[in-house]
Amino acid sequence: MKFLPLVWCNLKRKKLRTSLTILSILVAFLLFGFLCALKQSLTVGVSMAGADRLIARHKISLIMLLPESYKARMQRIPGVAAAVHQTWFGGIYQDPKNFFASMPVEPAEFRAMFPEFVLPDEQVKAWETKRNGGIVGRVTAERFGWKIGDRIPIRSPIWQRAGGNDGWEFDLVGIFDGAKKGTDLSQFFFRYDYFDEARARGKGQVGWYTVRIENPENAAEIARTIDAEFANSPYETKTEPEGAFAQGFAQQVGDIGKMLIAILSAVFFTILLVAGNTMAQAVRERTEELGVLKAMGFTNELVLALVLAESMVITAAGGLAGLGLAWLVAANGSPAPSILPVFYLPPRDVLIGVGLVGALGLVAGLLPAVQAMRLQIAVALRRQG
Amino acid sequence: MSQSNEILVRVRDADKVFRRGSEEIHVLSGLNLEVPKGEFLALMGPSGSGKSTLLNLIGGLDRATRGTVEIGGERIDSMSDRQLAGWRARHIGLVFQFYNLLPVLTAERNVELPLLLTHLSKGERRQHVEAALKVVNLSHRARHYPRTLSGGEQQRTGIARAIVTDPTLLLCDEPTGDLDRKSGDEILSLLQALNREQGKTIIMVTHDPHASARATRTVHLDKGQLVTEPAP
């Protein structure tokens, strides 16, 4: 600790250079944090997926419908505990940019299948009794300033009401929260019976099924059984674990993990060069001073540690500030709630970021530090004469 | 205080050879030197005669190619780098021609540097620094940065830094070489006082006969060998 003032004074030597280096590192780690939050947002379905849940959809495409009657047939398959359906509604509130996921569901079965959506009892009762009742996640409710009792007009670009009207009205009866961090609180759910009765076409058809199985170890076998059950019909199914389904959905954007690694590798390599160059220059400029310190009795190891400490302080200042800023940005909410409903920086990624800060400081400072350590006193002092 | 008969520095058959490509440059050749404790010795000689190299060997800043260097009874030529660093911290005070103060530290912080290698507490370090600055009459400039000090003041700071750990031996490499006559005289008087009043053993490299006149003994080097060395 007694050497810290010495490290600090050396950093103040070239204030502009140190500040610019810190700023570069800050931007790199801000980008890191932002991209991690983005990845989390795009892959949250994978991490939130239930191990005991399967998704059964039309074999050709997710946008093709399945008969509502499949539910009873699925529930008869050995190993299946329950099956619920959802249908993509594509709700728009007032303006096309105010888009959010909305689906008609059967309230009681839906709640049993997805306990991660937490709704107070009185709101559950209200939903069960009101045919045009809908519930919404806290994020969307706050986004639009909705409160319970409001009548919410929603347009659907897919589903028209009988008579050719695309405008639907729902009474907001509940606002749900998440049982765990990462639960998508942007969605809107309403009753299937109301939807099916009022829609102009596709009656008796649904989007996809979520199937709860009794033993997750039998997931693959049960998925095959479900698909076999509906094989050679006009509505063949493709069944897979919920996690795999979410992964496939996310990968429509591309392999997010690989993209993230590619971008961050380029950024960190550049930053490594910037920080390494700063440290190399800093050491080169004060060769004589390092020689004087060694002449006084500073050991080679202590000189190595001092240079590394400088490097670590620079990267820590920039890196931790960047991570902090990224955390603040993410905590402030999604920059695009319609397409990135869940947006936060997971603590795991913060820890990885802190690890990267340390690694960057170490690697950037290592070469100059070793040079400083190997510096011969007589040679260093002779440079001046 | 006066010098004793006890030999503090003993250099025996010291050779120092530098290599430049395939060429060998013999800077010191079979050099022998003894310096009694409490002596103020001036090392004189033309450029390239090996004065600074000899000073480096005595201070443990460099190693002899051959021969032995014994300080206070300890063979420093056989010490490891780590041992040598610790030994320098305990026994050697260095004064440089160009002061070699760290520009980012105030005078008092510069003086404190060697004390960072000790186990002294912050308060004890401060007391030592104050005492050293008082010896060189620079207490009033303690919080000034080197760039705001005159050459003489910077060298006095350098001397305070050299004596703050109360070293066994003070090595000065042309301490007045970058100073005007008046400032140089002040520095020489200070070194003389340290020698006479505190019994510090001082070895000073200089080109200047005026400076060497202040020493108790002067030896001359030429082509890596002592030209004259009267018996101590």
Side-chain angles (χ1 to χ4, degrees):
Chain A
M1 287 300 283
K2 60 186 172 184
F3 294 103
L4 270 184
L6 182 58
V7 171
W8 183 242
C9 285
N10 279 327
L11 289 173
K12 289 195 296 184
R13 187 183 296 252
K14 301 271 183 183
K15 289 191 185 77
L16 182 63
R17 186 174 66 195
T18 304
S19 304
L20 289 176
T21 306
I22 289 175
L23 197 61
S24 312
I25 296 168
L26 183 151
V27 171
F29 277 91
L30 174 62
L31 183 66
F32 166 83
F34 194 80
L35 286 177
C36 285
L38 184 65
K39 177 175 176 270
Q40 179 67 14
S41 183
L42 292 171
T43 60
V44 69
V46 181
S47 55
M48 297 301 291
D52 60 349
R53 292 198 297 234
L54 305 178
I55 299 287
R57 61 173 176 86
H58 197 289
K59 187 177 180 180
I60 294 173
S61 167
L62 183 63
I63 63 168
M64 297 186 73
L65 302 174
L66 296 171
E68 200 264 334
S69 60
Y70 274 17
K71 184 173 83 172
R73 289 173 66 184
M74 285 182 189
Q75 284 173 336
R76 281 200 295 273
I77 292 171
V80 170
V84 302
H85 59 72
Q86 294 181 61
T87 306
W88 187 256
F89 184 73
I92 292 168
Y93 176 63
Q94 293 180 335
D95 189 283
K97 72 173 192 297
N98 294 337
F99 166 83
F100 48 89
S102 48
M103 273 82 67
V105 297
E106 292 173 304
E109 295 171 3
F110 173 79
R111 286 187 50 255
M113 180 65 74
F114 298 101
E116 57 264 44
F117 299 121
V118 179
L119 197 64
D121 288 344
E122 67 276 10
Q123 296 179 14
V124 171
K125 278 187 189 146
W127 196 23
E128 285 170 352
T129 54
K130 201 165 191 85
R131 273 175 68 79
N132 70 333
I135 62 168
V136 71
R138 174 104 27 218
V139 169
T140 296
E142 287 176 356
R143 181 181 169 200
F144 299 126
W146 295 348
K147 51 190 187 302
I148 290 169
D150 284 355
R151 176 152 290 186
I152 312 293
I154 294 178
R155 283 190 298 112
S156 168
I158 305 168
W159 299 103
Q160 292 186 332
R161 296 169 66 94
N165 180 7
D166 69 351
W168 297 69
E169 283 192 339
F170 301 97
D171 288 341
L172 192 64
V173 295
I175 296 174
F176 60 83
D177 291 295
K180 50 185 173 179
K181 193 166 176 64
T183 303
D184 184 354
L185 299 180
S186 71
Q187 300 177 90
F188 179 81
F189 300 108
F190 53 95
R191 284 175 52 161
Y192 174 76
D193 52 356
Y194 168 66
F195 165 72
D196 194 47
E197 187 183 286
R199 62 178 158 175
R201 59 173 180 86
K203 285 183 191 297
Q205 291 190 316
V206 297
W208 66 92
Y209 285 91
T210 304
V211 179
R212 182 183 297 288
I213 54 176
E214 287 162 358
N215 185 354
E217 287 179 8
N218 300 329
E221 186 191 332
I222 294 174
R224 276 196 301 274
T225 309
I226 292 172
D227 291 343
E229 170 75 18
F230 305 112
N232 302 315
S233 75
Y235 303 99
E236 290 189 309
T237 57
K238 181 183 176 186
T239 308
E240 57 193 341
E242 192 178 38
F245 174 79
Q247 181 108 45
F249 201 77
Q251 284 188 344
Q252 288 178 347
V253 183
D255 190 330
I256 297 153
K258 277 187 185 163
M259 284 195 287
L260 190 75
I261 289 170
I263 295 169
L264 289 177
S265 297
V267 170
F268 281 119
F269 181 69
T270 310
I271 288 304
L272 181 67
L273 296 183
V274 170
N277 185 50
T278 298
M279 287 312 301
Q281 266 185 296
V283 167
R284 209 165 36 241
E285 283 166 3
R286 49 179 210 268
T287 301
E288 296 85 8
E289 289 178 25
L290 290 168
V292 170
L293 290 179
K294 285 187 164 191
M296 277 179 209
F298 281 58
T299 60
N300 290 336
E301 294 78 11
L302 182 53
V303 169
L304 175 101
L306 287 174
V307 176
L308 276 181
E310 270 182 53
S311 177
M312 296 293 269
V313 169
I314 286 180
T315 51
L320 297 183
L323 283 175
L325 209 56
W327 185 83
L328 276 179
V329 168
N332 211 24
S334 171
S338 299
I339 48 173
L340 304 170
V342 178
F343 194 82
Y344 71 99
L345 184 55
R348 181 202 63 220
D349 290 334
V350 175
L351 284 178
I352 292 173
V354 171
L356 281 172
V357 169
L360 182 67
L362 208 61
V363 176
L366 195 61
L367 194 63
V370 169
Q371 282 175 339
M373 185 184 82
R374 290 181 177 164
L375 194 63
Q376 291 182 347
I377 302 169
V379 174
L381 296 178
R382 238 192 336 261
R383 283 191 182 198
Q384 191 173 46
Chain B
M1 284 190 196
S2 59
Q3 74 184 64
S4 71
N5 291 327
E6 183 189 343
I7 300 299
L8 182 67
V9 178
R10 184 173 279 124
V11 181
R12 286 269 171 267
D13 300 324
D15 286 358
K16 181 65 187 175
V17 180
F18 289 110
R19 290 178 202 284
R20 190 182 293 153
S22 57
E23 185 188 6
E24 284 192 347
I25 302 161
H26 291 259
V27 180
L28 297 177
S29 304
L31 188 137
N32 290 289
L33 176 70
E34 288 186 347
V35 181
K37 192 173 180 186
E39 187 174 51
F40 184 178
L41 176 74
L43 279 175
M44 290 193 76
S47 291
S49 60
K51 308 181 296 292
S52 294
T53 302
L54 177 58
L55 203 69
N56 287 346
L57 297 189
I58 295 169
L61 308 180
D62 205 353
R63 291 175 185 278
T65 311
R66 194 178 69 84
T68 61
V69 180
E70 195 178 301
I71 313 288
E74 282 189 277
R75 282 276 302 274
I76 66 165
D77 53 282
S78 56
M79 287 180 181
S80 68
D81 284 352
R82 194 181 175 79
Q83 287 172 324
L84 206 50
W87 175 84
R88 280 196 303 272
R90 287 191 303 276
H91 296 291
I92 298 294
L94 290 160
V95 180
F96 303 96
Q97 179 180 359
F98 298 108
Y99 333 125
N100 286 81
L101 302 175
L102 268 62
V104 291
L105 301 179
T106 58
E108 62 182 359
R109 289 283 196 179
N110 266 287
V111 175
E112 189 191 13
L113 275 173
L115 296 175
L116 295 178
L117 301 170
T118 67
H119 295 296
L120 295 176
S121 68
K122 194 173 179 182
E124 289 168 328
R125 292 202 300 272
R126 189 166 53 236
Q127 284 175 0
H128 280 71
V129 169
E130 282 169 6
L133 284 170
K134 197 172 173 187
V135 168
V136 300
N137 195 23
L138 214 61
S139 303
H140 62 295
R141 305 284 273 167
R143 300 220 167 139
H144 286 68
Y145 285 91
R147 64 177 179 276
T148 64
L149 300 175
S150 68
E153 287 173 328
Q154 288 190 58
Q155 192 58 296
R156 279 193 277 157
T157 307
I159 292 171
R161 182 178 65 184
I163 61 172
V164 74
T165 55
D166 192 22
T168 313
L169 185 58
L170 209 52
L171 302 178
C172 310
D173 194 355
E174 304 205 33
T176 58
D178 196 46
L179 298 175
D180 58 44
R181 174 52 60 92
K182 184 171 174 292
S183 302
D185 277 344
E186 285 172 8
I187 294 301
L188 291 167
S189 298
L190 185 56
L191 292 175
Q192 216 168 14
L194 286 168
N195 172 250
R196 285 178 182 167
E197 292 162 23
Q198 299 191 20
K200 288 282 166 218
T201 309
I202 302 174
I203 301 178
M204 175 177 70
V205 164
T206 182
H207 276 108
D208 182 6
H210 178 76
S212 68
R214 301 287 198 106
T216 51
R217 179 165 65 113
T218 300
V219 295
H220 293 265
L221 268 86
D222 192 21
K223 294 176 184 167
Q225 292 185 317
L226 284 186
V227 178
T228 52
E229 196 213 346

